[in-house]
Coordinates of all heavy atoms in Angstrom, one line a residue:
V74 N 18.0 -34.2 16.1 CA 17.9 -35.4 16.8 C 18.3 -35.2 18.3 O 17.6 -35.7 19.2 CB 18.8 -36.5 16.2 CG1 18.8 -37.7 17.0 CG2 18.2 -36.8 14.8
R75 N 19.4 -34.5 18.5 CA 19.9 -34.4 19.9 C 19.1 -33.5 20.8 O 19.1 -33.6 22.0 CB 21.4 -34.0 19.8 CG 22.3 -35.0 19.2 CD 23.7 -34.6 19.2 NE 24.6 -35.6 18.7 CZ 25.9 -35.4 18.5 NH1 26.5 -34.2 18.8 NH2 26.7 -36.4 18.1
N76 N 18.5 -32.5 20.2 CA 17.8 -31.5 21.0 C 16.3 -31.8 21.2 O 15.6 -31.0 21.9 CB 17.9 -30.1 20.4 CG 19.4 -29.6 20.4 OD1 20.2 -30.0 21.2 ND2 19.8 -28.8 19.4
T77 N 15.8 -32.9 20.6 CA 14.4 -33.2 20.8 C 14.2 -34.0 22.1 O 14.9 -35.0 22.3 CB 13.9 -34.1 19.6 OG1 14.2 -33.4 18.4 CG2 12.5 -34.4 19.8
P78 N 13.3 -33.6 23.0 CA 13.1 -34.3 24.2 C 12.7 -35.8 23.9 O 12.1 -36.0 22.9 CB 11.9 -33.6 24.9 CG 11.9 -32.2 24.2 CD 12.4 -32.4 22.8
S79 N 13.1 -36.7 24.8 CA 12.8 -38.1 24.6 C 12.0 -38.6 25.7 O 12.4 -39.3 26.6 CB 14.1 -38.9 24.4 OG 13.8 -40.2 24.2
T80 N 10.7 -38.3 25.7 CA 9.7 -38.8 26.7 C 9.3 -40.2 26.2 O 8.8 -40.4 25.2 CB 8.5 -37.9 26.8 OG1 8.9 -36.6 27.1 CG2 7.5 -38.5 27.8
V81 N 9.6 -41.2 27.1 CA 9.3 -42.6 26.7 C 8.5 -43.3 27.8 O 8.3 -42.8 28.9 CB 10.6 -43.3 26.5 CG1 11.4 -42.7 25.3 CG2 11.5 -43.3 27.7
T82 N 8.0 -44.4 27.4 CA 7.4 -45.3 28.4 C 8.2 -46.5 28.6 O 8.8 -47.1 27.7 CB 6.0 -45.7 27.9 OG1 6.1 -46.3 26.6 CG2 5.0 -44.5 27.8
I83 N 8.3 -46.9 29.9 CA 9.1 -48.1 30.3 C 8.3 -49.3 30.2 O 7.1 -49.3 30.7 CB 9.7 -47.9 31.7 CG1 10.6 -46.7 31.7 CG2 10.4 -49.1 32.1 CD1 11.2 -46.3 33.0
M84 N 8.8 -50.4 29.7 CA 8.1 -51.6 29.5 C 8.7 -52.8 30.2 O 10.0 -52.9 30.3 CB 8.0 -52.0 28.0 CG 7.6 -50.8 27.1 SD 5.9 -50.4 27.3 CE 5.1 -51.9 26.7
T85 N 7.9 -53.6 30.8 CA 8.4 -54.9 31.3 C 7.7 -56.0 30.6 O 6.5 -56.2 30.9 CB 8.2 -55.0 32.8 OG1 8.9 -54.0 33.5 CG2 8.7 -56.4 33.3
N86 N 8.3 -56.5 29.5 CA 7.7 -57.5 28.7 C 6.6 -57.0 27.8 O 6.4 -57.5 26.7 CB 7.2 -58.7 29.6 CG 7.1 -60.0 28.8 OD1 7.8 -60.1 27.8 ND2 6.3 -60.9 29.3
S87 N 5.8 -56.1 28.3 CA 4.7 -55.7 27.4 C 4.3 -54.2 27.5 O 4.5 -53.5 26.6 CB 3.4 -56.5 27.7 OG 3.1 -56.5 29.0
K88 N 3.9 -53.7 28.7 CA 3.4 -52.4 28.6 C 4.1 -51.4 29.6 O 5.1 -51.7 30.2 CB 1.9 -52.5 29.0 CG 1.1 -51.3 28.3 CD -0.4 -51.6 28.5 CE -1.2 -50.4 27.9 NZ -0.9 -49.2 28.6
S89 N 3.5 -50.2 29.7 CA 4.2 -49.1 30.4 C 4.2 -49.2 31.9 O 3.2 -49.6 32.5 CB 3.6 -47.8 29.9 OG 2.3 -47.7 30.3
E90 N 5.3 -48.7 32.5 CA 5.3 -48.5 33.9 C 4.7 -47.2 34.3 O 4.5 -46.3 33.5 CB 6.8 -48.5 34.4 CG 7.5 -49.8 34.1 CD 8.9 -49.7 34.6 OE1 9.4 -48.6 34.9 OE2 9.6 -50.7 34.5
K91 N 4.2 -47.1 35.5 CA 3.6 -45.8 36.0 C 4.7 -44.7 36.0 O 5.7 -44.9 36.6 CB 3.0 -46.0 37.3 CG 2.2 -44.8 37.8 CD 1.5 -45.1 39.1 CE 0.4 -46.1 39.0 NZ -0.3 -46.4 40.3
S92 N 4.3 -43.6 35.4 CA 5.3 -42.5 35.4 C 5.5 -41.8 36.7 O 6.5 -41.0 36.9 CB 4.9 -41.5 34.3 OG 3.6 -40.9 34.6
S93 N 4.6 -42.0 37.7 CA 4.7 -41.3 38.9 C 5.6 -42.1 39.9 O 5.6 -41.7 41.1 CB 3.3 -41.2 39.5 OG 2.7 -42.4 39.7
A94 N 6.3 -43.1 39.5 CA 7.2 -43.9 40.4 C 8.2 -43.0 41.0 O 8.8 -42.1 40.3 CB 7.8 -45.0 39.7

Side-chain angles (χ1 to χ4, degrees):
V74 173
R75 290 182 176 175
N76 294 332
T77 303
S79 182
T80 303
V81 297
T82 53
I83 297 176
M84 310 291 291
T85 300
N86 202 24
S87 54
K88 208 170 176 296
S89 63
E90 297 175 352
K91 186 177 292 184
S92 60
S93 61

